[in-house]
């Protein structure tokens, strides 16, 4: 019988961590998750089965409290910044974890890093991930540092980049790195090795390369996706003029992946990144049935997407330079410049129908007003390195606190009553959008409020420049949301009769 362990997952709100936690629970382990905001985990299905502690990895006291009584720490944190001194921040957070783990008597650290060659001068992101792994290995706490390449699964950033590049472009002008060899790995196999690293016995302290069974060129991965998606294979021309910076701009424009996330992915493709040793097999046997091939991983990811069963997504990743402050309460606005656009509509729609329209907003469902204006704003955001509108949403009908919604993020959701979105588009200030239902003594209403805190003169000019469009955008949104909700109520009533 597998020994039950207390496991601290750092990065439990991310793509890999959000999938690992329920699998740890299935194996009988006790799980603690550290998050800067516990509200971000309020809607996940395993919330009541884990201990959630609020804290910041940059705070030694928070990290020490999180490590108390823990057997294994799983470290799945990596900066998504494309600039700045993220390397120093990553070493600082990893150092806090290493010191706290050693002081708390943690038996093992499990770290997920990246495959990299030994001989090349590594990119900043790969070098930083290697440095974090080296720090853990020298920490005095036995560490299993798994090194993986491109992760393929529904919702993974690498898979979404391949998918959109292949689907959008009938002809692909590409950087020279499309000819480099990579060894992708299915997300289910990454989870298999992470779970195994938590459970294996012994004081092991070393790196292990992990990868799938296929070694491919990036161009072959794109055309492998095309075959599985029922698309013609794409002609690919490798051009020497595409620098990593220019390639990230190209990816930013033609895919939903923002430049800040595209940069570390593209930088990792500058080298041949393949498994150099298979020592992991002696420690953690491959999963039953063997490792998942690339084409099968694509097939499984597409099936999950079509069924609406994407468990976690890169959309939920927090971008380091995106606004992160919560909307202050109204009394806190005193003495500050704030612009507000409020709309209220009385409606005959049922509250449930009104809420279903509110919670379904964005993504493929759109924003119920002036589609061209929203599209232009999304493209402008892309041009300046923002996330743009094409980030979409994870689920077409249901939202969770903390997940991305086009160029917004769900800051708060009170299901059936209130949805608050925080703006993550590039702009000189901070913005929120609140959508609410209300039932005042049988008088049902829809309420909508856009709140904007300008930054300097540019922020004020930005708001005033948009004032002429507010009638079309905000009034149109309120009107069409109410009309759609009323139409749903009528259809439901007619169906019953």
């Amino acid at each position: 019988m597998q020994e039950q362990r207390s496991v601290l997952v750092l990065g439990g709100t991310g793509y890999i961590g959000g999938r690992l936690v329920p699998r740890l629970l299935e194996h009988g382990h006790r799980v603690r998750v550290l998050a800067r905001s516990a509200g971000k985990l309020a809607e996940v299905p395993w919330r009541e089965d884990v201990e959630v502690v609020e804290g910041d990895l940059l705070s030694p006291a928070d990290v020490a409290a999180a490590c108390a009584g823990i057997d294994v720490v799983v470290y799945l944190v990596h900066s998504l910044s494309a600039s700045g001194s993220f390397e120093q921040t990553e070493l600082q957070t990893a150092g806090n974890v290493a010191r706290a783990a050693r002081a708390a008597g943690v038996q093992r650290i499990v770290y997920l890093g990246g495959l990299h060659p030994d001989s090349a001068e590594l990119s900043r992101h790969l070098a930083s991930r290697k440095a974090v792994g080296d720090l853990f290995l020298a920490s005095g706490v036995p560490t299993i540092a798994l090194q993986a390449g491109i992760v393929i699964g529904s919702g993974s950033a690498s898979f979404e980049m391949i998918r959109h590049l292949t689907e959008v472009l009938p002809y692909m002008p590409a950087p020279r790195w499309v000819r480099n060899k990579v060894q992708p790995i299915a997300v289910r196999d990454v989870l298999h090795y992470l779970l195994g690293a938590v459970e294996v016995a012994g004081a092991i302290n070393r790196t292990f390369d992990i990868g799938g069974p296929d070694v491919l060129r990036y161009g072959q991965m794109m055309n492998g996706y095309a075959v599985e998606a029922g698309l013609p294979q794409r002609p690919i021309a490798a051009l020497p003029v595409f620098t990593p910076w220019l390639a990230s701009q190209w990816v930013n424009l033609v895919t939903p992946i923002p430049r800040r996330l595209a940069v570390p992915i593209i930088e990792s493709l500058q080298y041949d990144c393949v498994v150099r040793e298979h020592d992991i097999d002696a420690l953690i046997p491959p999963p039953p049935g063997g490792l998942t091939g690339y084409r099968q991983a694509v097939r499984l990811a597409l099936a999950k997407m079509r069924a609406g069963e994407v468990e976690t997504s890169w959309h939920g990743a927090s971008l380091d330079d995106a606004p992160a402050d919560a909307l202050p309460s109204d009394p806190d606005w005193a003495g500050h410049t704030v612009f507000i656009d409020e709309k209220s509509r009385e409606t005959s729609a049922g509250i449930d129908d009104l809420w279903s329209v509110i919670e379904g907003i964005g993504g493929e469902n759109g924003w119920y007003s002036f589609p061209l204006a929203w599209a232009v704003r999304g493209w402008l955001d892309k041009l300046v390195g923002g996330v743009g509108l094409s980030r979409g949403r994870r689920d077409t009908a249901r939202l969770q606190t903390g997940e991305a919604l086009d160029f917004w993020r769900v800051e708060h959701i009170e299901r059936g009553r209130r949805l608050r979105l925080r703006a993550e588009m590039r702009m000189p200030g901070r913005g929120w959008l609140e959508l609410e239902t209300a039932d005042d003594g049988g008088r049902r209403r829809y309420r909508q409020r856009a709140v904007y805190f300008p930054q300097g003169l540019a922020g004020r000019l930005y708001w005033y420049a948009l004032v002429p469009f507010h009638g079309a955008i905000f009034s149109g949104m309120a009107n069409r949301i109410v009309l759609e909700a009323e139409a749903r109520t009528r259809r439901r009533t007619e169906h019953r009769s």
Side-chain angles (χ1 to χ4, degrees):
M1 183 176 177
Q2 173 60 47
E3 179 186 354
Q4 186 185 58
R5 294 178 176 172
S6 296
V7 184
L8 171 64
V9 178
L10 302 175
T13 60
Y15 177 72
I16 298 290
R19 299 188 181 209
L20 178 63
V21 168
R23 287 156 178 82
L24 289 167
L25 293 170
E26 289 171 6
H27 280 237
H29 300 297
R30 298 180 299 275
V31 180
R32 180 183 297 165
V33 177
L34 176 69
R36 278 181 288 188
S37 170
K40 193 170 182 180
L41 294 168
E43 301 293 327
V44 297
W46 39 264
R47 170 62 183 87
E48 299 304 317
D49 300 318
V50 303
E51 179 189 359
V52 177
V53 294
E54 288 191 333
D56 193 323
L57 287 175
L58 289 171
S59 165
D62 289 351
V63 178
C67 286
I70 290 296
D71 300 320
V72 180
V73 172
V74 181
Y75 192 89
L76 303 171
V77 180
H78 182 54
S79 171
L80 296 180
S81 174
S83 59
S85 57
F86 66 87
E87 300 101 323
Q88 181 179 350
T89 300
E90 291 201 325
L91 285 176
Q92 183 178 350
T93 57
N96 288 343
V97 171
R99 287 186 289 273
R102 185 171 61 247
V106 169
Q107 298 169 19
R108 174 175 300 141
I109 295 172
V110 176
Y111 171 62
L112 181 63
L115 278 178
H116 59 271
D118 285 331
S119 56
E121 181 179 347
L122 299 179
S123 69
R124 291 178 64 196
H125 281 269
L126 273 181
S128 182
R129 297 184 80 174
K130 180 180 182 299
V132 169
D134 291 343
L135 185 153
F136 286 140
L137 291 167
S139 67
V141 180
T143 297
I144 295 178
L146 301 175
Q147 300 181 150
I150 293 175
V151 177
I152 301 298
S154 58
S156 80
S158 298
F159 174 72
E160 288 297 300
M161 193 168 101
I162 293 168
R163 181 168 78 91
H164 282 85
L165 286 174
T166 308
E167 291 186 351
V168 171
L169 302 171
Y171 172 80
M172 177 64 181
R176 285 177 293 184
W177 46 255
V178 295
R179 295 175 177 167
N180 289 347
K181 292 180 179 179
V182 292
Q183 195 161 353
I185 182 169
V187 64
R188 59 176 51 200
D189 293 337
V190 174
L191 295 169
H192 168 80
Y193 285 123
L194 285 169
L195 187 59
V198 168
E199 296 178 345
V200 73
I204 302 146
N205 193 65
R206 57 160 293 184
T207 63
F208 293 92
D209 290 354
I210 59 173
D214 301 318
V215 176
L216 303 166
R217 299 185 189 278
Y218 198 82
Q220 291 176 311
M221 292 176 61
M222 292 176 62
N223 277 321
Y225 171 85
V227 171
E228 293 299 329
L231 301 170
Q233 295 198 38
R234 301 325 200 201
I236 298 174
L239 304 178
V241 296
F242 268 97
T243 64
W245 181 87
L246 187 59
S248 69
Q249 311 305 311
W250 177 243
V251 169
N252 176 66
L253 287 175
V254 301
T255 81
I257 310 298
R259 185 170 61 205
R260 286 161 285 177
L261 187 52
V263 167
I265 296 174
I266 289 170
E267 284 183 348
S268 69
L269 298 172
Q270 303 305 305
Y271 326 95
D272 288 337
C273 285
V274 298
V275 170
R276 297 159 298 178
E277 44 82 11
H278 296 272
D279 297 352
I280 193 69
D281 293 342
L283 185 70
I284 305 169
L291 295 169
T292 308
Y294 172 70
R295 291 268 297 272
Q296 183 186 1
V298 170
R299 201 175 309 132
L300 292 167
L302 288 172
K304 289 282 189 182
M305 291 171 57
R306 290 164 183 157
E309 298 175 351
V310 179
E311 192 175 348
T312 59
S313 170
W314 70 270
H315 299 131
S318 298
L319 300 171
D320 291 347
D321 52 354
D325 294 333
L327 176 64
S329 61
D330 290 11
D332 292 339
W333 295 353
H336 295 274
T337 300
V338 59
F339 296 117
I340 303 173
D341 186 291
E342 292 186 280
K343 299 289 182 286
S344 178
R345 300 287 187 271
E346 192 167 333
T347 177
S348 60
I351 291 295
D352 290 345
D353 293 318
L354 183 56
W355 176 255
S356 70
V357 177
I358 291 174
E359 191 172 6
I361 201 166
E364 295 181 1
N365 299 326
W367 291 87
Y368 294 97
S369 69
F370 207 169
L372 179 60
W374 286 95
V376 169
R377 184 63 182 88
W379 275 103
L380 289 174
D381 196 52
K382 276 284 190 180
L383 287 171
V384 296
V387 295
L389 275 179
S390 56
R391 188 163 57 167
R393 51 182 292 157
R394 181 186 59 86
D395 187 288
T396 57
R398 190 174 177 87
L399 294 172
Q400 292 182 358
T401 302
E403 73 179 10
L405 175 60
D406 291 331
F407 46 39
W408 305 87
R409 189 168 296 276
V410 180
E411 181 174 277
H412 173 77
I413 185 167
E414 186 178 340
R415 192 151 276 108
R417 186 166 185 273
R418 179 183 294 114
L419 172 65
R420 182 190 303 144
L421 306 175
R422 183 179 71 245
E424 289 195 335
M425 73 282 283
R426 295 292 185 92
M427 60 182 181
R430 297 177 293 148
W432 292 265
L433 179 64
E434 285 188 326
L435 313 177
E436 294 183 344
T437 68
D439 191 342
D440 302 323
R443 297 179 60 191
R444 295 183 291 273
R445 301 193 69 84
Y446 166 73
R447 294 172 181 163
Q448 174 182 297
R449 182 169 71 161
V451 180
Y452 179 65
F453 285 72
Q455 182 177 354
L457 177 61
R460 289 160 175 78
L461 293 175
Y462 174 84
W463 177 265
Y464 290 128
L466 292 178
V467 166
F469 301 98
H470 285 180
I473 295 173
F474 293 132
S475 293
M477 177 188 293
N479 292 337
R480 290 198 59 195
I481 285 176
V482 166
L483 288 172
E484 174 62 24
E486 290 174 348
R488 294 187 186 188
T489 298
R490 282 195 304 272
R491 289 194 296 268
R492 186 162 47 81
T493 303
E494 291 169 359
H495 179 72
R496 286 175 179 173
S497 60

